[in-house]
């Protein structure tokens, strides 16, 4: 992992670009996202190809990568927010201009399939945000909605969780990295898989059978990538 680069926090009026790196976004979702961004005092920008559709994708691979690169180059954009997850990030991640993003860091925001970009950003030494996306706006709690806005302003919330019988008590510190287990597992052996040495690994997943989860955990363990972890934070699994 390269030296950590934290993008600047956002000031009132700063731009947030909406992009689709995976599945296409419905017009209503895009409009809701723009309204929420304005309500937080920021300025929404639509990537040139946002709203396009190529089968299940938000445009073809080249167009989706071009939108991210457009947002990286845009002088008023300070954060790049994926409209939703799905599948497709792996098809365009290598066409992103990561050197340009390192030269002018901006917040990458998303989760689910976006885990691939979060991992790749971590390997590039870039801090990024594992967060809800516009598709979740109608179902996210007010606390969750506020947490993203406050983080972008530079006042992140302190996270806490109730005690669980399977928790291992203790104190640990380290970079927080991870995301969707299925996507992380698919990244094994690629340049996008994050170096987890000394890290706290955060994991979540959706709609997976227990034996699928077991297979993925064993795959990660046998690959040796879990050795040297500082800790594990387990989110929602269903």
């Amino acid at each position: 992992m390269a030296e950590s680069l934290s993008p600047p926090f956002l000031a009132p009026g700063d731009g947030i670009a909406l992009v689709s790196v995976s599945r296409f976004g419905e017009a209503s979702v895009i409009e809701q996202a723009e309204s929420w961004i304005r309500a937080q005092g920021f300025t929404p920008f639509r990537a040139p190809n946002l709203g396009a559709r190529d089968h299940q994708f938000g445009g073809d691979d080249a167009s989706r990568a071009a939108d991210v690169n457009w947002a990286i180059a845009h002088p008023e954009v300070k954060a790049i927010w994926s409209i939703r997850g799905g599948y497709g990030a792996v098809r365009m991640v290598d066409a992103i201009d990561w050197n340009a993003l390192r030269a002018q860091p901006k917040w990458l925001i998303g989760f689910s399939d976006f885990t691939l970009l979060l991992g790749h950003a971590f390997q590039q030494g870039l801090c990024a945000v594992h967060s809800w996306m516009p598709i979740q706006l109608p179902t996210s709690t007010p606390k969750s909605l506020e947490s993203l806005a406050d983080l972008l302003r530079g006042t992140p919330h302190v996270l806490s969780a109730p005690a669980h019988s399977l928790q291992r008590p203790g104190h640990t510190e380290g970079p927080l990295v991870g995301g969707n287990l299925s996507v992380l597992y698919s990244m094994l052996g690629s340049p996008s898989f994050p170096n987890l040495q000394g890290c706290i690994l955060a994991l979540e997943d959706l709609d997976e059978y227990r034996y699928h989860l077991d297979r993925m955990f064993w795959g990660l363990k046998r690959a040796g990538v879990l050795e040297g972890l500082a800790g594990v934070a387990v989110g929602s699994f269903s």
Side-chain angles (χ1 to χ4, degrees), residues 1-236:
M1 184 187 70
E3 182 181 355
S4 179
L5 293 172
S6 180
F9 293 112
L10 274 61
D14 279 348
I16 298 178
L18 295 168
V19 301
S20 178
V21 304
S22 305
R23 193 174 177 86
F24 67 90
E26 301 282 359
S28 59
V29 175
I30 297 170
E31 291 165 2
Q32 288 175 358
E34 290 175 325
S35 295
W36 184 86
I37 291 170
R38 291 190 188 97
Q40 309 314 308
F42 304 126
T43 304
F45 287 89
R46 292 193 187 194
N49 299 297
L50 186 66
R53 182 171 180 177
D54 181 45
H55 301 285
Q56 68 174 356
F57 306 115
D60 61 30
D61 300 340
S63 296
R64 300 197 315 280
D67 277 358
V68 175
N69 290 333
W70 169 86
I72 292 171
H74 198 298
E76 297 178 61
V77 168
K78 307 301 179 184
I80 303 169
W81 196 13
S82 182
I83 202 76
R84 63 168 302 162
Y87 168 71
V90 69
R91 299 169 60 101
M92 48 74 75
V93 61
D94 294 320
I96 293 174
D97 190 345
W98 293 99
N99 288 332
L101 188 58
R102 277 185 54 81
Q104 190 174 12
K106 302 182 179 188
W107 294 105
L108 297 176
I109 310 168
F111 82 111
S112 185
D113 195 48
F114 202 78
T115 295
L116 196 137
L117 269 67
L118 298 178
H120 201 96
F122 186 76
Q123 286 302 93
Q124 295 287 320
L126 292 161
C127 296
V129 183
H130 181 277
S131 169
W132 61 273
M133 296 177 288
I135 190 73
Q136 281 90 34
L137 256 171
T139 57
S140 294
T141 65
K143 182 177 180 180
S144 182
L145 299 180
E146 292 167 6
S147 69
L148 175 58
D150 286 343
L151 184 150
L152 293 175
R153 296 185 185 106
T155 55
H157 294 191
V158 175
L159 301 180
S160 62
H164 192 281
S165 60
L166 296 179
Q167 284 180 341
R168 181 177 296 179
H171 174 83
T172 190
E173 295 181 2
L176 185 64
V177 65
N180 181 270
L181 174 60
S182 298
V183 177
L184 190 70
Y185 178 72
S186 75
M187 293 157 56
L188 272 174
S190 78
S192 300
F193 194 91
N195 179 357
L196 300 177
Q197 288 287 316
C199 292
I200 299 171
L201 177 61
L203 294 171
E204 55 82 18
D205 217 322
L206 175 71
D207 293 337
E208 288 290 349
Y209 291 110
R210 290 183 180 178
Y211 78 89
H212 285 177
L213 298 174
D214 193 60
R215 174 188 290 149
M216 289 185 284
F217 278 120
W218 273 105
L220 294 173
K221 179 179 175 62
R222 295 186 70 238
V225 298
L226 302 182
E227 297 176 7
L229 280 177
V232 178
V234 180
S236 175

